[in-house]
Amino acid sequence: DVFKYIPHDCSMGCPLVISQDGKDEQVASVVEEFQQKFKAIGIPMVHWQHEQPKQSGLRGTDAKIHNAKQYAALANHYKWALSKLFQEPPYQEDDGS
């Protein structure tokens, strides 16, 4: 149970950010379920959805090409999510005033 490892005072840094690749409704439903559970214990959770661009360049069906396409898609998602996180933080830091 993931909730027993989460501090309830949110002192470890909030919110949790989930970056979903694509718009699969089943994945979004699970994320929504966890958003409600975390909200109930005072931890905000942000859900971002990223639509992968069509891949071009690598053509073929062998395992090496498939792996390269998957690696490129993962790298693209990380670039998108980290850029979004640091350029548009999902929350405002408390400046102490």
Side-chain angles (χ1 to χ4, degrees):
D1 184 18
V2 70
F3 292 101
K4 70 181 179 182
Y5 299 105
I6 304 287
H8 294 284
D9 64 357
C10 210
S11 64
M12 294 297 290
C14 287
L16 296 175
V17 177
I18 302 297
S19 63
Q20 176 186 345
D21 209 24
K23 301 203 182 240
D24 185 297
E25 290 299 320
Q26 289 179 324
V27 173
S29 176
V30 170
V31 171
E32 173 66 28
E33 178 184 329
F34 276 91
Q35 276 180 311
Q36 297 307 315
K37 289 179 179 182
F38 280 106
K39 184 178 180 180
I41 61 172
I43 299 174
M45 191 172 113
V46 177
H47 181 209
W48 291 336
Q49 290 179 303
H50 176 242
E51 197 62 42
Q52 277 285 358
K54 294 214 182 262
Q55 293 185 2
S56 62
L58 297 173
R59 303 212 189 287
T61 57
D62 71 20
K64 286 183 182 178
I65 299 241
H66 176 74
N67 288 342
K69 287 180 180 179
Q70 297 305 312
Y71 178 81
L74 182 61
N76 182 277
H77 183 88
Y78 278 137
K79 178 184 177 195
W80 171 82
L82 291 171
S83 294
K84 186 171 176 79
L85 181 65
F86 289 107
Q87 292 172 6
E88 310 168 26
Y91 62 96
Q92 297 297 319
E93 292 186 34
D94 183 7
D95 63 4
S97 52

